[in-house]
């Protein structure tokens, strides 16, 4: 093979990996973090577990129930955001995430989308976004949180 053919094969390999590396993970109150999370019947148990394994282009689909929140520090991209979506309107986050005193904490993570959660009774913020760009917060309800419903801190300087 000549150099052009090798480059073409390499580019095809990379493109195939980018296209097929996206996953949809499920989280359920009846799930188990030992599961693969790839179907509703093999769902993970916690949002935090899902937030620790997602990569650009992945989605986390959350079934009905009450959950402990999550802290995410992994970025998506402009063409492959990371999406957390409540798939019914009765998904409640009523326990703070294990890292901060917020329900949902998005920190140093760009291109994240959070959709459809009811975040209540948090010690600080329902949803907190810090040092992060291109974050979409859509159709969430934040109520009875101690300090803020949604908090966003602007970075002073962000390189890169």
């Amino acid at each position: 093979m000549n150099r052009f053919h090798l480059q073409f094969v390499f580019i095809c390999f990379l493109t195939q990996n980018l296209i097929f590396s996206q996953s949809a993970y499920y989280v359920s109150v009846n799930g188990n973090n030992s599961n693969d999370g790839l179907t509703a019947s093999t769902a993970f148990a916690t949002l935090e577990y899902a937030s620790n394994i997602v990569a650009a282009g992945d989605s986390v689909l959350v079934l009905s129930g009450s959950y402990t929140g999550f802290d995410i520090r992994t970025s998506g991209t402009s063409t492959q955001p990371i999406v957390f979506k409540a798939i019914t309107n009765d998904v409640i986050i009523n326990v703070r995430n294990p890292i901060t005193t917020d329900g949902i904490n998005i920190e140093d993570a760009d291109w994240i989308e959070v959709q459809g959660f009811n975040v209540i009774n948090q010690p600080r913020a329902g949803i907190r976004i810090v040092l992060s760009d291109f974050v979409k917060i859509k159709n969430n309800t934040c109520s009875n949180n101690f300090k803020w419903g949604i908090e966003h801190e602007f970075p002073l300087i962000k390189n890169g």
Side-chain angles (χ1 to χ4, degrees):
M1 273 190 184
N2 66 30
R3 183 175 177 200
F4 173 77
H5 287 113
L6 285 175
Q7 287 175 334
F8 179 75
V9 169
F10 182 71
I11 289 169
C12 289
F13 175 76
L14 285 178
T15 303
Q16 179 182 3
N17 282 344
L18 288 174
I19 292 170
F20 295 109
S21 67
Q22 299 174 3
S23 296
Y25 296 107
Y26 289 82
V27 176
S28 168
V29 293
N30 299 316
N32 185 316
N33 289 341
S34 296
N35 290 342
D36 65 16
L38 297 175
T39 68
S41 60
T42 62
F44 298 136
T46 65
L47 290 163
E48 184 66 19
Y49 185 83
S51 74
N52 288 329
I53 66 165
V54 291
D58 288 348
S59 297
V60 177
L61 306 173
V62 186
L63 301 165
S64 297
S66 296
Y67 295 90
T68 297
F70 64 94
D71 177 277
I72 183 157
R73 299 178 191 227
T74 301
S75 291
T77 68
S78 63
T79 58
Q80 295 184 313
I82 296 171
V83 177
F84 287 82
K85 183 175 183 176
I87 58 175
T88 61
N89 64 2
D90 59 347
V91 176
I92 299 167
I93 293 178
N94 60 355
V95 178
R96 62 172 265 205
N97 76 71
I99 309 299
T100 69
T101 56
D102 311 293
I104 297 171
N105 187 59
I106 302 166
E107 191 162 337
D108 199 23
D110 302 330
W111 301 102
I112 306 294
E113 296 181 17
V114 177
Q115 303 175 22
F117 292 90
N118 297 301
V119 188
I120 61 171
N121 303 326
Q122 299 304 310
R124 185 168 57 179
I127 300 173
R128 178 176 180 256
I129 308 153
V130 294
L131 302 172
S132 302
D133 292 320
F134 308 106
V135 174
K136 291 183 182 178
I137 306 298
K138 299 162 56 171
N139 300 318
N140 297 282
T141 302
C142 298
S143 59
N144 202 38
N145 299 297
F146 181 73
K147 200 161 189 180
W148 302 287
I150 299 174
E151 175 197 13
H152 181 262
E153 297 176 16
F154 296 96
L156 295 175
I157 298 174
K158 185 167 182 178
N159 296 324

